[in-house]
Amino acid sequence: MPIRRPIATLAGRTAGALSRLTRRGGGTAVSGLVTSALDPGFVPESLRQLHSTVTITGTNGKTTTTAALCALARAAGQPVLTNPTGSNLERGLAAALLPHVNWTGQIRDAPNLRAILELDEWAFAALAPTIRPRVAVFLNLFRDQLDRYGEVDRTAAAWQEAIDRLDPDATVVANADDPAVVAVARNHRGPVLFFGADVTGSSTTPDAWADVRRCPLCDGRLDWNRVVYAHLGSYRCLCCDFHRPKTAVRITDFQPGGLTGSSYRLITPDSDGYIQVKLPGLYNAYNLAAAVVGAQAAGIPTANAKDVLETFQPAFGRAETIHAPGTTITLLLVKNPTGANQTLDLLRSEPEPLDTLVLLNDGVADGEDVSWIWDVEFERLAPRRLQVGGRRAEDLALRMKYAGVAPTVDDVQVLPGIAPALDAAMKAGSTDRTRRLIVLATYTAMLDLRAVCTRRGWVAPYWQSAA
Amino acid sequence: MTASGPVLRIAYLYPDLMNLYADRGNVTCLVQRCVWRGITPEIRRLEWNDRLVEAADLYVIGGGQDRQQQLASQGLTTRNADRILSDLADGAAMLAVCGGYQLMAHRYRAADGSELPGLGVFDAETIHPGANVPRCIGNVVCDWNDSRLVGFENHGGRTYLGTDAAPLARVLRGHGNNAEDGTEGAVAGAAIGTYLHGSVLPKNPHLADHIIRTALAHSAPEFKLEPLHDSAEWAAHRAALRVAGLR
């Protein structure tokens, strides 16, 4: 043990406690930031004491997949260490480890404890060689906060380097429907298990905002016999032998159920049956399929997966229901074109137009570049009433004008704050008997909105909801 | 809103390859502002294998990643150079953004040292100083004629203008062409190149109308652009100024 470890962990714990005391947050980031800054070996050396580590990375669905994998492990009676609040940089891992570590840096019951961790795309690339996951799950690769992550091809290249350095007996779990993911996952020296969706897409060309159109290996034309959404689907290259690989776990017969759930058939090597889940949308079906393959790869029994998944609740801010007096709020995190367009499809599957509040912030965690809203097809949004808010509310209002969402732009109320926008949206429908309000929010706007709801006593803080 | 006005032929170059930062928002904006004035926009989307046959009044191209830019460079220089250059010589307009702007200059030297030929519309060249040199990323405000342009930039390459090129604008906040000489973008005839990506036109309605006006000067010189009710556009413009620390 490095001499600095007790100092680093004590400093981290103190910082976290101060953060909670001063109500600045859950202390999830700051305690880990302090510890890993003082002691860079803390995260990898702590994780190496454990039974094994499972990592989950990808652009969309990390928090949900991680939570589902944890639920499967816990249901099988296996103790889990995780970072449930979406804090997915090294500091987030350090913060998740801190409560388990004693002053000498030892983790209680370490040989029985399994780490199931979500990792930011670049954090995975940086950390995987030192934390040496036993199972590495890759969900998808979409354009997201390009000002922070850079080009999608660069992220794929970073993943490739990390995959090349994985242990040969580690298992890679990857989305068969994403050519960008398959192109890197297939090079792993050890076992690779794929999951995918056998569902009929409406199109055979990728969406306008898709990031893959040509073969990632040879730049030849990719031929899709179906596109599920974005660039996900069933494809083959017309110039080389690159094609969608065979799946170990697949989804078929998908039935959307609006915002409150969905049902489908989930076929795995040792089970085949219909499940009805509380998570909406095909994108969540991918997440749950990934969790099941990830569990199987990690040796977690999945015999009772159906029961676990059917009772599994959405993670905070991911189609989360918040009960406010007189109004039921559905809070949906949107942070990039693919996720946002999937969410708009969900709203369209609702029987009636809904009151909708859209919140756009431009913090570092949201992406300072708000251009991406022009890749979101707000043309598909048909709200009953529309309110926009957040630090870049004016950009949203302008986007709505060009999307033709409101008859005239004067019908879109612009309120830059979060609480005032929420109040206005709730007041607008206050005469209705049963009220529903849909809130689409970028990451920091979602946290801000939850903080407003927490102060008003409508919902628990996120670090408690996630625990 | 009768479509009694002229037709505007827009050639949208390689939307499948060059739409990295939602540059298609510019096309959405141009189309709407034409339709609101009774102008009929006719959009031709150019795919990678396509050869442009018919003339256009306005060319639009967005930004792309290095690999896609390579393909676009091939498509432009081997299949479509004559059509585009002769239309521009006739007075057709162009909006080339980010990677598209780089391809409309003489050449782009990528981070790995490889060189992509451009069409030479602008007397300029772009050099990527290498993957380890920080990119030019952030909000931009610049002086353009007697007004301002706002936007966001995110580019590794540094563009240097030659003696025959005029800059589009002067940088007040941000990096612009190369983070050295205070220039942003380039102008050659009715062609405009800029690093302001994504949704540059919606929140710069004066630039959008300038482009429509110069494109129409080519096809329907007698047609006058009516002003539009642009309060939402200017509100977003002011919000971008505020974010960049300017009023």
Side-chain angles (χ1 to χ4, degrees), chain B residues 73-84:
Chain B
S73 162
Q74 263 177 41
L76 283 173
T77 54
T78 62
R79 283 188 281 278
N80 294 297
D82 294 348
R83 173 83 271 163
I84 295 171

Side-chain angles (χ1 to χ4, degrees), chain B residues 24-94:
Chain B
R24 67 198 183 113
N26 290 326
V27 177
T28 306
C29 175
L30 289 166
V31 165
Q32 284 293 357
R33 297 183 74 81
C34 283
V35 169
W36 286 332
R37 291 160 161 134
I39 303 165
T40 305
E42 277 181 10
I43 309 246
R44 244 163 295 144
R45 294 164 56 97
L46 192 77
E47 309 298 332
W48 185 65
N49 285 314
D50 295 349
R51 191 179 291 274
L52 277 167
V53 180
E54 287 165 73
D57 306 310
L58 171 57
Y59 286 91
V60 180
I61 184 168
Q65 309 191 72
D66 278 2
R67 270 170 60 155
Q68 282 88 322
Q69 221 172 320
Q70 233 170 49
L71 292 168
S73 162
Q74 263 177 41
L76 283 173
T77 54
T78 62
R79 283 188 281 278
N80 294 297
D82 294 348
R83 173 83 271 163
I84 295 171
L85 293 175
S86 78
D87 284 355
L88 290 178
D90 281 352
M94 170 179 276

Side-chain angles (χ1 to χ4, degrees), chain A residues 8-272:
Chain A
T9 53
L10 178 64
R13 281 189 243 274
T14 310
L18 278 174
S19 164
R20 262 183 289 261
L21 263 177
T22 56
R23 295 177 182 274
R24 283 175 190 281
T28 50
V30 68
S31 62
L33 182 63
V34 169
T35 304
S36 55
L38 292 174
D39 183 2
F42 175 71
V43 166
E45 284 159 30
S46 302
L47 285 174
R48 262 183 244 140
Q49 298 175 35
L50 303 186
H51 172 278
S52 60
T53 296
V54 178
T55 60
I56 294 101
T57 193
T59 310
N60 288 344
K62 294 183 285 287
T63 302
T64 297
T65 305
T66 303
L69 237 164
C70 290
L72 289 166
R74 288 180 181 126
Q78 302 193 350
V80 169
L81 183 155
T82 186
N83 54 338
T85 60
S87 186
N88 58 20
L89 305 176
E90 183 171 8
R91 68 188 71 158
L93 307 195
L97 284 160
L98 265 178
H100 296 267
V101 173
N102 71 12
W103 71 276
T104 64
Q106 296 304 305
I107 294 179
R108 255 171 293 115
D109 201 24
N112 292 317
L113 192 58
R114 194 188 295 272
I116 299 176
L117 303 168
E118 76 160 90
L119 275 171
D120 161 277
E121 297 90 295
W122 282 90
F124 171 82
L127 293 173
T130 54
I131 65 179
R132 299 176 60 190
R134 158 111 343 219
V135 177
V137 180
F138 298 87
L139 296 170
N140 44 55
L141 189 51
F142 303 122
R143 60 183 58 184
D144 180 33
Q145 300 176 35
L146 294 159
D147 55 310
R148 197 166 139 226
Y149 291 110
E151 300 174 348
V152 170
D153 286 349
R154 288 188 57 225
T155 309
W159 279 4
Q160 186 67 76
E161 275 183 41
I163 288 171
D164 291 345
R165 295 172 64 187
L166 287 178
D167 292 344
D169 58 348
T171 302
V172 161
V173 170
N175 188 337
D177 294 356
D178 189 332
V181 168
V182 172
V184 293
R186 69 201 280 277
N187 297 326
H188 175 50
R189 291 171 290 171
V192 185
L193 296 174
F194 290 102
F195 60 94
D198 287 349
V199 296
T200 321
S202 53
S203 163
T204 55
T205 45
D207 290 319
W209 61 90
D211 298 288
V212 183
R213 288 166 194 288
R214 307 189 71 87
C215 176
L217 304 189
C218 78
D219 277 335
R221 228 184 90 204
L222 276 190
D223 182 47
W224 270 265
N225 67 40
R226 62 165 186 274
V227 169
V228 181
Y229 59 83
H231 55 251
L232 305 187
S234 177
Y235 51 84
R236 69 189 175 90
C237 177
L238 297 179
C239 303
C240 71
D241 70 346
F242 183 69
H243 60 272
R244 178 193 194 240
K246 282 210 167 17
T247 50
V249 166
R250 62 199 174 99
I251 302 145
T252 69
D253 304 295
F254 180 80
Q255 297 291 329
L259 283 164
T260 48
S262 53
S263 60
Y264 43 89
R265 184 175 158 200
L266 188 68
I267 304 169
T268 82
D270 44 50
S271 68
D272 179 353

